[in-house]
Amino acid sequence: MNFKLGYDETSPASIEKFAKGLIGKTFADVCAEDTLHGAEVVREISNYETSHGNKKRKGGLGELIEERYFHYRSNNDSRPDFDKAGVELKVIPYKKNRNGRIVAKERLIITMIDYFSVTNEKFEDSHLWSKAKLILLVYYLYSKEITDRLNYKIGYVQLFSPPEQDIKIIKHDYQVILDKIKVGKAHELSESDTLYLGAAPKASTSQDRRKQPFSDELAKPRAFAFKSSYMTYVLNNYIIPEKSTYESIIRNTPVDSFEDYVTAKIGEYCGWTVQKLCSRFHIYFEKKPKNLESMIAYRILGIKGNHAAEFEKANIVVKTIRIGKNNTIKESMSFPTFKFKELVKEEWETSTFRTYLEETRFLFVVYKFNDDNELVLKGCQFWNIPYADLEHQVYSVWEKTKQVINNGLQVKRINGKNYNNFPKASENPICHVRPHAQNAQDTYELPDGRKYPKQCFWLNSSYIIKQIDNKLIY
């Protein structure tokens, strides 16, 4: 035990017990109560609080906890922060949504990806796993109303090790990322490639690029990170006391591939009509709830509600797709509405729509109408938007949408109908913009002060059908 520090550097339990003293304190409190203020580990005595409270200083609050509470010098060492105990310290914000739900505000960056050295590592001995297998999580409450970051309050502190089934998925995610790097496609990495562990962009500017070993194409700097959806699940189900957990798809025996398991499970009912499936899973068919087809998928996977633990952790969105007898899809795929005044202030790299597509993995549950006009389950597939599609065609629609709003939306009334100049499905092979409002009174305000019905981005139905495996269509 290092009595000067107040905790045993070799004991995870001692470190956690000492860290619990942070709960209820603000970062300003930590600085004010620092009994070792001025110790050699603190590098910036003058103006220390202001410097670390600066929102532009990435990792500033984490450094503050390291240096002013635990009293060790913050560094970029490849080893865990508490090396003698094998514990990594991570300080992460959470927030409360309008509906009262507690969510992680952002992904948890673990360590930078060295495209050259990582290809020679095995997961169990990797730099990533040395930092991720035992983490001391310090969650603080973020609020837009608090302008000084030092006044954020710490709400939860706990050691966390991913459970066995999560480790299997994390290991699989790690391999997916490595495989892409090994074939010279580090520049095409996307967080939606994987489930819990992502390859998150980590650059000071959007133009930053670095070399990769198996291609001359420069790639964005990226870091291994637990997705924000995973950290939200960790917070709500492992950290906050007495919070109820979501139902799990995998319950007793861990499986090697979660996606293969889901695909096979739903595949067991291929060829069944919706009516027969409703009877099998005790769903009242005559009522035909709006989300009937997705409800059936959840029941097949053993989920009584509409939230599966693994889907929540991996930010997997279930989308049901209906294919007509002529092998086409009528419905385009909608996304959340965007606010005109917010979209025009965005940059593409950090835009809401790009971030959503870049971080979201979809489970397409596919049904098709048979000759008797009955809807039949064909199966399912996991999908995320290809890098090239996102960065070219989707970007062009987003950019044009921004220009239309900036230049003043044009609206013409022809034969009693309003027509605007947002990008149309006929103008782009992948996506377009159109209304997603309950009625004409369901509006957002334009920059020029006019009210206009809510709009959203849509993936074209003709594009979606091309993404579906042929075996699920014919």
Side-chain angles (χ1 to χ4, degrees), residues 249-280:
I249 295 172
I250 309 297
R251 292 180 181 170
N252 298 318
T253 305
V255 300
D256 290 328
S257 171
F258 171 74
E259 293 190 1
D260 287 349
Y261 177 86
V262 169
T263 303
K265 194 74 176 172
I266 291 179
E268 292 175 7
Y269 293 90
C270 284
W272 287 45
T273 65
V274 166
Q275 187 165 0
K276 185 178 178 182
L277 286 165
C278 285
S279 176
R280 167 67 178 80

